[in-house]
Amino acid sequence: MRSGDVLLKMEEVSKTFPGVKALSDVNFTLRQGEVHALMGENGAGKSTLIKVLTGVHPMDQGKVYLNGRPIVARSPLEAQHLGISTVYQEINLCTNLSVAENLYIGRLPRRRGAIDWKKMHADSEQLLRRLNLNLDVKKSLSDYSVAIQQMVAIARAVDMSSGVLILDEPTSSLDAQEVQQLFAVMRKLRDEGMGIVFVTHFLDQVYEITDRITILRNGSLVGEYETSKLSKSSLVTHMIGREWKEEDEHRKTESSYTPEVVMAAKSLTRAGSIKPVSLSVRKGEVVGLAGLLGSGRSEFANLIFGIDQADSGVMTLGAEQFQSMNPKKAIRQGIGFCPEDRKIAGIVGELTIRENIVLALQAKKGIFNYIPLKKQQEIAQRFIDLLRIKTPSMEQRIDNLSGGNQQKVILARWLATEPKLLILDEPTRGIDVGSKGEIRRLILDLAKSGLSILIISSELQEMIECADRIVVLRDRMQVGEISGGDMNEASIMKMIAEGGGTSEQYPQTGS
Amino acid sequence: MSNTRRRAANIMHTKIIWPLTALAAILLFNLFFVPGFFHMEIKDGHLFGSLIDILNRAAPIMVIAIGMTLVIAKEGIDISVGSVLAIAGAVAISLIGVVPLWMAIGAALIVGALCGLWNGVLIAYLGIQPMVGTLILMTVGRGIAQLITEGKVLTTDSKSYGFIGKGFFLGLPFSIFIAAFVFLLVLYLKKRTALGLFLEATGTNKVSSEYAGVEPRKIYLFVYIVCGLCAAIAGLLVSSNISSADANNAGLWIELDAILAVVIGGTSMRGGRFFLAGTVIGALFIQSLTTTIYSMGVPPERIMVVKAIVVIIVSLMQSDRFRQMFQQKSKKAVIG
């Protein structure tokens, strides 16, 4: 049942932020019964387009029609009432409330003035069953994994939507099986006649689920295409505005490491977090840490940097041995750490790009050894140029930047401290294809210049490209190591899967 | 002046424009409705007049509000400052005559810093919420002050001690110089050490700051100590001004005026960016308002209501959202 009637139409939408033209004359059409991908690099205007549509930002110019009638959503609530529901990349639910409460918050069913808990719980269960989810709806949301929380957010949106559903990178925290579960739901909704806008960075998923693709670049519309008629390489070409070939992605060929060991961890352990891991990194070497979500890869990084304390084990840095670590000490010893969650543990949103860049260096130098403003500006400018951070000024607030540029600022923060070892936990998550490539190239260049790097990534291909050696973790245990020509997705997956004991599947390999 | 500095000055300018406007408005009001408000005369080589009086009276609020600004920048609050003020005044006055004056003053300052340390440990290291943590000292503090004064209102006739709160220097009240000194010292800490950066970073995003090697807990401890110290300085000013220590009434509710001064000055209660100059203007505004209401002859029982109304108006003017609403309304009116 695909009527193909136009459901939602946006015409010549423009939006300017101070210093940035975020959208200029963009058209977007969503038809009934389709899944429509919105593609573009970070900063292309995808998020802005969605925020304009859902009333988060007012638009400067343009018109929006829903079922042929002009609409203006002045707030997300108004958009919801109009039947436009959105699930954002970051989960906007209250983790301290129960699943059912989260599903019905703001519209709790009532009976004679009091909340009708019975009805709410029954309705919740029914709603979740529609998404093939079987949860205890009375349990607090925080008892469930991020993936499940995401599904609950989607269930809520589906229930409130009357035709348009927007999914803004819903799959970035889901594993392959959960992605399939989500796709099943999306197909069902599509067949019911719903129009779904799907924003993602995973190209494979776009080809698996979508019917049409609208591509944006630098705030302008590139075009609308039928998915089946657009090749992957032309999609990427349209997105980044230059030629891209699949062959560009290949294994790291030259290694430049020296025998000198920069960091050696011996039997680092933390109860309930990770079993003994021993690992050493040589000067100029890139070591990958592979494993499933929750396999202990991030947990191990946290131990090295001293975010968490090891119960036992010894870490050797240069000539010194350490049994306990904290971030300040780690930085003084020449370690830098780009954490997995950029927003929570990386950027300091209210501060400027300059301040974000010098923060770790200043912390290393101490509070009274103030870096003069002029020197700060020199440092910031050097890294803005070096990493090609796109910004009108170093005095912009960092949260005005796109995800890829924010990540570059965090990288700059660590490079400014002149580290010997850089730990990168998911350095390219939620970043567009172009910036991903740039960051990968940067990793290789840095290694060539003698920096040692420990990289963690859900994208196996990324690690194969960057790493000299990959250490595999499973169930919080070190299970093996692969290096050189033996590194390929199949061999790593095999090592991860060997011995079984895990029901989780490997997350999408992406790009 | 470099580009960035000018831009920074611009940001400052936009933030500080609202407290300045409020202050200007209240002064303008006085110009028309309170005869003799701007009158100033020189007696014995000292300046006298309502304006000077406001400066003198605003000094304790200013000093406390500066300390409060730092605490609020880290997303905290300190409601014990009024009690700490009373303790410091009691310590100083009870020691005058017993030990040399400088020791009495030093002891009061040390006690203030210890009070701050207490708050800081509770909040930074034991993880108690700032409001609850400082509530303890707020409640207990007046009791401690009473223990020191043995339940009486202590007085002193030390001329040198009295100079702090009511003496004149270069024709101006000495208290102004103390307030200015505290302001410049904290401004120096903000601009010439990394305290400003670290404080704004931890106030905005504690986790990120910690990951970047900043030690939030040490910063928290430090700002609470500074806040306690500021409260003690205010305690010296207040007790010196009236030459007595009143455990029950000295600095009563001053924490509320101080918090208000910080907020009017443009620092958000959510922490992050903080504006010391804004705080100073905010404190001046609050004292001008109080003095104006008194000189208007508003009956005492209505003073708080009038103050509340003015504060609501100023807060609304500061709110971006309110201004937007207002602008949209006026735009519509023009179109209609």
Side-chain angles (χ1 to χ4, degrees), chain A residues 338-363:
Chain A
C338 289
E340 185 178 8
D341 199 323
R342 189 170 54 236
K343 220 161 202 163
I344 292 172
I347 67 165
V348 181
E350 243 181 82
L351 301 193
T352 65
I353 294 162
R354 168 179 58 82
E355 288 169 317
N356 268 286
I357 290 179
V358 300
L359 189 58
L361 180 61
Q362 182 69 67

PDB file of all heavy atoms in Angstrom, chain A residues 338-363:
ATOM      1  N   CYS A 338      40.906  10.683  24.188  1.00  0.00           N
ATOM      2  CA  CYS A 338      39.650  11.173  23.603  1.00  0.00           C
ATOM      3  C   CYS A 338      38.564  10.183  23.974  1.00  0.00           C
ATOM      4  O   CYS A 338      38.528   9.076  23.448  1.00  0.00           O
ATOM      5  CB  CYS A 338      39.732  11.230  22.081  1.00  0.00           C
ATOM      6  SG  CYS A 338      40.786  12.519  21.489  1.00  0.00           S
ATOM      7  N   PRO A 339      37.670  10.546  24.883  1.00  0.00           N
ATOM      8  CA  PRO A 339      36.704   9.568  25.374  1.00  0.00           C
ATOM      9  C   PRO A 339      35.620   9.258  24.351  1.00  0.00           C
ATOM     10  O   PRO A 339      35.437   9.982  23.373  1.00  0.00           O
ATOM     11  CB  PRO A 339      36.122  10.243  26.607  1.00  0.00           C
ATOM     12  CG  PRO A 339      36.350  11.690  26.394  1.00  0.00           C
ATOM     13  CD  PRO A 339      37.538  11.839  25.517  1.00  0.00           C
ATOM     14  N   GLU A 340      34.922   8.171  24.627  1.00  0.00           N
ATOM     15  CA  GLU A 340      33.900   7.660  23.724  1.00  0.00           C
ATOM     16  C   GLU A 340      32.767   8.665  23.541  1.00  0.00           C
ATOM     17  O   GLU A 340      32.320   8.907  22.432  1.00  0.00           O
ATOM     18  CB  GLU A 340      33.358   6.367  24.349  1.00  0.00           C
ATOM     19  CG  GLU A 340      32.374   5.625  23.510  1.00  0.00           C
ATOM     20  CD  GLU A 340      31.943   4.340  24.204  1.00  0.00           C
ATOM     21  OE1 GLU A 340      32.305   4.145  25.385  1.00  0.00           O
ATOM     22  OE2 GLU A 340      31.259   3.534  23.571  1.00  0.00           O
ATOM     23  N   ASP A 341      32.309   9.240  24.658  1.00  0.00           N
ATOM     24  CA  ASP A 341      31.163  10.130  24.560  1.00  0.00           C
ATOM     25  C   ASP A 341      31.624  11.585  24.527  1.00  0.00           C
ATOM     26  O   ASP A 341      31.906  12.188  25.536  1.00  0.00           O
ATOM     27  CB  ASP A 341      30.216   9.904  25.742  1.00  0.00           C
ATOM     28  CG  ASP A 341      28.842  10.457  25.439  1.00  0.00           C
ATOM     29  OD1 ASP A 341      28.772  11.515  24.776  1.00  0.00           O
ATOM     30  OD2 ASP A 341      27.851   9.835  25.851  1.00  0.00           O
ATOM     31  N   ARG A 342      31.678  12.093  23.312  1.00  0.00           N
ATOM     32  CA  ARG A 342      32.234  13.427  23.095  1.00  0.00           C
ATOM     33  C   ARG A 342      31.463  14.484  23.873  1.00  0.00           C
ATOM     34  O   ARG A 342      32.025  15.404  24.436  1.00  0.00           O
ATOM     35  CB  ARG A 342      32.172  13.722  21.602  1.00  0.00           C
ATOM     36  CG  ARG A 342      32.885  14.949  21.167  1.00  0.00           C
ATOM     37  CD  ARG A 342      32.958  15.005  19.659  1.00  0.00           C
ATOM     38  NE  ARG A 342      31.645  14.877  19.048  1.00  0.00           N
ATOM     39  CZ  ARG A 342      31.322  13.949  18.153  1.00  0.00           C
ATOM     40  NH1 ARG A 342      32.205  13.066  17.777  1.00  0.00           N
ATOM     41  NH2 ARG A 342      30.120  13.906  17.651  1.00  0.00           N
ATOM     42  N   LYS A 343      30.160  14.344  23.896  1.00  0.00           N
ATOM     43  CA  LYS A 343      29.336  15.392  24.474  1.00  0.00           C
ATOM     44  C   LYS A 343      29.433  15.438  25.998  1.00  0.00           C
ATOM     45  O   LYS A 343      29.476  16.504  26.597  1.00  0.00           O
ATOM     46  CB  LYS A 343      27.875  15.137  24.089  1.00  0.00           C
ATOM     47  CG  LYS A 343      27.207  16.428  23.759  1.00  0.00           C
ATOM     48  CD  LYS A 343      25.967  16.249  22.950  1.00  0.00           C
ATOM     49  CE  LYS A 343      25.691  17.549  22.231  1.00  0.00           C
ATOM     50  NZ  LYS A 343      24.774  17.397  21.150  1.00  0.00           N
ATOM     51  N   ILE A 344      29.479  14.257  26.600  1.00  0.00           N
ATOM     52  CA  ILE A 344      29.478  14.211  28.061  1.00  0.00           C
ATOM     53  C   ILE A 344      30.876  14.364  28.626  1.00  0.00           C
ATOM     54  O   ILE A 344      31.090  15.043  29.611  1.00  0.00           O
ATOM     55  CB  ILE A 344      28.838  12.886  28.537  1.00  0.00           C
ATOM     56  CG1 ILE A 344      27.356  12.903  28.209  1.00  0.00           C
ATOM     57  CG2 ILE A 344      29.075  12.666  30.011  1.00  0.00           C
ATOM     58  CD1 ILE A 344      26.652  11.600  28.460  1.00  0.00           C
ATOM     59  N   ALA A 345      31.851  13.747  27.964  1.00  0.00           N
ATOM     60  CA  ALA A 345      33.181  13.710  28.568  1.00  0.00           C
ATOM     61  C   ALA A 345      34.244  14.429  27.739  1.00  0.00           C
ATOM     62  O   ALA A 345      35.393  14.513  28.140  1.00  0.00           O
ATOM     63  CB  ALA A 345      33.597  12.255  28.788  1.00  0.00           C
ATOM     64  N   GLY A 346      33.854  14.947  26.597  1.00  0.00           N
ATOM     65  CA  GLY A 346      34.834  15.593  25.732  1.00  0.00           C
ATOM     66  C   GLY A 346      34.755  17.098  25.760  1.00  0.00           C
ATOM     67  O   GLY A 346      35.561  17.777  26.381  1.00  0.00           O
ATOM     68  N   ILE A 347      33.739  17.629  25.106  1.00  0.00           N
ATOM     69  CA  ILE A 347      33.675  19.078  24.952  1.00  0.00           C
ATOM     70  C   ILE A 347      33.213  19.757  26.234  1.00  0.00           C
ATOM     71  O   ILE A 347      32.533  19.166  27.061  1.00  0.00           O
ATOM     72  CB  ILE A 347      32.730  19.485  23.796  1.00  0.00           C
ATOM     73  CG1 ILE A 347      31.275  19.129  24.116  1.00  0.00           C
ATOM     74  CG2 ILE A 347      33.151  18.841  22.501  1.00  0.00           C
ATOM     75  CD1 ILE A 347      30.277  19.806  23.205  1.00  0.00           C
ATOM     76  N   VAL A 348      33.625  21.010  26.386  1.00  0.00           N
ATOM     77  CA  VAL A 348      33.056  21.863  27.434  1.00  0.00           C
ATOM     78  C   VAL A 348      32.233  22.904  26.687  1.00  0.00           C
ATOM     79  O   VAL A 348      32.756  23.893  26.185  1.00  0.00           O
ATOM     80  CB  VAL A 348      34.149  22.516  28.283  1.00  0.00           C
ATOM     81  CG1 VAL A 348      33.537  23.361  29.376  1.00  0.00           C
ATOM     82  CG2 VAL A 348      35.065  21.469  28.873  1.00  0.00           C
ATOM     83  N   GLY A 349      30.936  22.630  26.590  1.00  0.00           N
ATOM     84  CA  GLY A 349      30.065  23.312  25.637  1.00  0.00           C
ATOM     85  C   GLY A 349      30.054  24.824  25.665  1.00  0.00           C
ATOM     86  O   GLY A 349      30.056  25.467  24.622  1.00  0.00           O
ATOM     87  N   GLU A 350      30.049  25.399  26.869  1.00  0.00           N
ATOM     88  CA  GLU A 350      29.894  26.844  26.940  1.00  0.00           C
ATOM     89  C   GLU A 350      31.175  27.592  26.584  1.00  0.00           C
ATOM     90  O   GLU A 350      31.152  28.782  26.328  1.00  0.00           O
ATOM     91  CB  GLU A 350      29.490  27.222  28.378  1.00  0.00           C
ATOM     92  CG  GLU A 350      28.131  27.860  28.477  1.00  0.00           C
ATOM     93  CD  GLU A 350      27.819  28.212  29.929  1.00  0.00           C
ATOM     94  OE1 GLU A 350      28.275  29.261  30.373  1.00  0.00           O
ATOM     95  OE2 GLU A 350      27.137  27.430  30.600  1.00  0.00           O
ATOM     96  N   LEU A 351      32.293  26.881  26.622  1.00  0.00           N
ATOM     97  CA  LEU A 351      33.564  27.564  26.381  1.00  0.00           C
ATOM     98  C   LEU A 351      33.890  27.636  24.892  1.00  0.00           C
ATOM     99  O   LEU A 351      33.325  26.927  24.082  1.00  0.00           O
ATOM    100  CB  LEU A 351      34.700  26.852  27.129  1.00  0.00           C
ATOM    101  CG  LEU A 351      34.553  26.739  28.646  1.00  0.00           C
ATOM    102  CD1 LEU A 351      35.867  26.301  29.265  1.00  0.00           C
ATOM    103  CD2 LEU A 351      34.110  28.045  29.277  1.00  0.00           C
ATOM    104  N   THR A 352      34.838  28.523  24.580  1.00  0.00           N
ATOM    105  CA  THR A 352      35.196  28.729  23.183  1.00  0.00           C
ATOM    106  C   THR A 352      36.123  27.619  22.695  1.00  0.00           C
ATOM    107  O   THR A 352      36.626  26.813  23.484  1.00  0.00           O
ATOM    108  CB  THR A 352      35.931  30.065  23.005  1.00  0.00           C
ATOM    109  OG1 THR A 352      37.165  29.982  23.715  1.00  0.00           O
ATOM    110  CG2 THR A 352      35.115  31.224  23.537  1.00  0.00           C
ATOM    111  N   ILE A 353      36.334  27.619  21.382  1.00  0.00           N
ATOM    112  CA  ILE A 353      37.237  26.633  20.792  1.00  0.00           C
ATOM    113  C   ILE A 353      38.635  26.800  21.375  1.00  0.00           C
ATOM    114  O   ILE A 353      39.281  25.827  21.755  1.00  0.00           O
ATOM    115  CB  ILE A 353      37.263  26.822  19.262  1.00  0.00           C
ATOM    116  CG1 ILE A 353      35.888  26.468  18.701  1.00  0.00           C
ATOM    117  CG2 ILE A 353      38.350  25.999  18.614  1.00  0.00           C
ATOM    118  CD1 ILE A 353      35.646  26.997  17.324  1.00  0.00           C
ATOM    119  N   ARG A 354      39.076  28.050  21.474  1.00  0.00           N
ATOM    120  CA  ARG A 354      40.409  28.303  22.052  1.00  0.00           C
ATOM    121  C   ARG A 354      40.504  27.714  23.456  1.00  0.00           C
ATOM    122  O   ARG A 354      41.449  26.986  23.773  1.00  0.00           O
ATOM    123  CB  ARG A 354      40.681  29.808  22.098  1.00  0.00           C
ATOM    124  CG  ARG A 354      41.898  30.185  22.948  1.00  0.00           C
ATOM    125  CD  ARG A 354      42.152  31.684  22.960  1.00  0.00           C
ATOM    126  NE  ARG A 354      41.016  32.467  23.441  1.00  0.00           N
ATOM    127  CZ  ARG A 354      40.727  32.667  24.728  1.00  0.00           C
ATOM    128  NH1 ARG A 354      41.475  32.127  25.669  1.00  0.00           N
ATOM    129  NH2 ARG A 354      39.675  33.379  25.078  1.00  0.00           N
ATOM    130  N   GLU A 355      39.526  28.001  24.286  1.00  0.00           N
ATOM    131  CA  GLU A 355      39.590  27.523  25.665  1.00  0.00           C
ATOM    132  C   GLU A 355      39.555  26.001  25.730  1.00  0.00           C
ATOM    133  O   GLU A 355      40.237  25.395  26.552  1.00  0.00           O
ATOM    134  CB  GLU A 355      38.431  28.118  26.478  1.00  0.00           C
ATOM    135  CG  GLU A 355      38.623  29.594  26.751  1.00  0.00           C
ATOM    136  CD  GLU A 355      37.367  30.267  27.314  1.00  0.00           C
ATOM    137  OE1 GLU A 355      36.268  29.993  26.802  1.00  0.00           O
ATOM    138  OE2 GLU A 355      37.491  31.058  28.241  1.00  0.00           O
ATOM    139  N   ASN A 356      38.747  25.395  24.853  1.00  0.00           N
ATOM    140  CA  ASN A 356      38.690  23.938  24.827  1.00  0.00           C
ATOM    141  C   ASN A 356      40.027  23.342  24.408  1.00  0.00           C
ATOM    142  O   ASN A 356      40.415  22.281  24.898  1.00  0.00           O
ATOM    143  CB  ASN A 356      37.584  23.468  23.882  1.00  0.00           C
ATOM    144  CG  ASN A 356      36.263  23.272  24.598  1.00  0.00           C
ATOM    145  OD1 ASN A 356      36.098  22.305  25.331  1.00  0.00           O
ATOM    146  ND2 ASN A 356      35.343  24.197  24.432  1.00  0.00           N
ATOM    147  N   ILE A 357      40.718  24.015  23.491  1.00  0.00           N
ATOM    148  CA  ILE A 357      41.999  23.472  23.027  1.00  0.00           C
ATOM    149  C   ILE A 357      43.063  23.564  24.116  1.00  0.00           C
ATOM    150  O   ILE A 357      43.803  22.621  24.341  1.00  0.00           O
ATOM    151  CB  ILE A 357      42.470  24.195  21.739  1.00  0.00           C
ATOM    152  CG1 ILE A 357      41.568  23.805  20.565  1.00  0.00           C
ATOM    153  CG2 ILE A 357      43.918  23.848  21.422  1.00  0.00           C
ATOM    154  CD1 ILE A 357      41.908  24.473  19.255  1.00  0.00           C
ATOM    155  N   VAL A 358      43.124  24.682  24.832  1.00  0.00           N
ATOM    156  CA  VAL A 358      44.219  24.834  25.799  1.00  0.00           C
ATOM    157  C   VAL A 358      43.933  24.174  27.148  1.00  0.00           C
ATOM    158  O   VAL A 358      44.823  24.097  27.982  1.00  0.00           O
ATOM    159  CB  VAL A 358      44.590  26.315  26.050  1.00  0.00           C
ATOM    160  CG1 VAL A 358      45.026  26.985  24.758  1.00  0.00           C
ATOM    161  CG2 VAL A 358      43.441  27.063  26.693  1.00  0.00           C
ATOM    162  N   LEU A 359      42.718  23.683  27.337  1.00  0.00           N
ATOM    163  CA  LEU A 359      42.317  23.206  28.667  1.00  0.00           C
ATOM    164  C   LEU A 359      43.272  22.154  29.261  1.00  0.00           C
ATOM    165  O   LEU A 359      43.751  22.299  30.381  1.00  0.00           O
ATOM    166  CB  LEU A 359      40.888  22.665  28.615  1.00  0.00           C
ATOM    167  CG  LEU A 359      40.246  22.330  29.955  1.00  0.00           C
ATOM    168  CD1 LEU A 359      40.205  23.536  30.855  1.00  0.00           C
ATOM    169  CD2 LEU A 359      38.839  21.777  29.761  1.00  0.00           C
ATOM    170  N   ALA A 360      43.559  21.111  28.476  1.00  0.00           N
ATOM    171  CA  ALA A 360      44.399  20.037  29.022  1.00  0.00           C
ATOM    172  C   ALA A 360      45.835  20.508  29.217  1.00  0.00           C
ATOM    173  O   ALA A 360      46.491  20.147  30.191  1.00  0.00           O
ATOM    174  CB  ALA A 360      44.360  18.819  28.108  1.00  0.00           C
ATOM    175  N   LEU A 361      46.324  21.324  28.294  1.00  0.00           N
ATOM    176  CA  LEU A 361      47.681  21.851  28.418  1.00  0.00           C
ATOM    177  C   LEU A 361      47.796  22.699  29.679  1.00  0.00           C
ATOM    178  O   LEU A 361      48.762  22.598  30.433  1.00  0.00           O
ATOM    179  CB  LEU A 361      48.034  22.683  27.176  1.00  0.00           C
ATOM    180  CG  LEU A 361      49.431  23.299  27.169  1.00  0.00           C
ATOM    181  CD1 LEU A 361      50.497  22.223  27.231  1.00  0.00           C
ATOM    182  CD2 LEU A 361      49.630  24.177  25.939  1.00  0.00           C
ATOM    183  N   GLN A 362      46.774  23.523  29.912  1.00  0.00           N
ATOM    184  CA  GLN A 362      46.775  24.367  31.101  1.00  0.00           C
ATOM    185  C   GLN A 362      46.717  23.508  32.359  1.00  0.00           C
ATOM    186  O   GLN A 362      47.387  23.788  33.335  1.00  0.00           O
ATOM    187  CB  GLN A 362      45.579  25.335  31.050  1.00  0.00           C
ATOM    188  CG  GLN A 362      45.517  26.300  32.219  1.00  0.00           C
ATOM    189  CD  GLN A 362      46.634  27.330  32.187  1.00  0.00           C
ATOM    190  OE1 GLN A 362      46.692  28.178  31.330  1.00  0.00           O
ATOM    191  NE2 GLN A 362      47.549  27.219  33.137  1.00  0.00           N
ATOM    192  N   ALA A 363      45.911  22.454  32.316  1.00  0.00           N
ATOM    193  CA  ALA A 363      45.811  21.560  33.471  1.00  0.00           C
ATOM    194  C   ALA A 363      47.159  20.892  33.722  1.00  0.00           C
ATOM    195  O   ALA A 363      47.562  20.692  34.861  1.00  0.00           O
ATOM    196  CB  ALA A 363      44.735  20.505  33.232  1.00  0.00           C
TER     197      ALA A 363
END
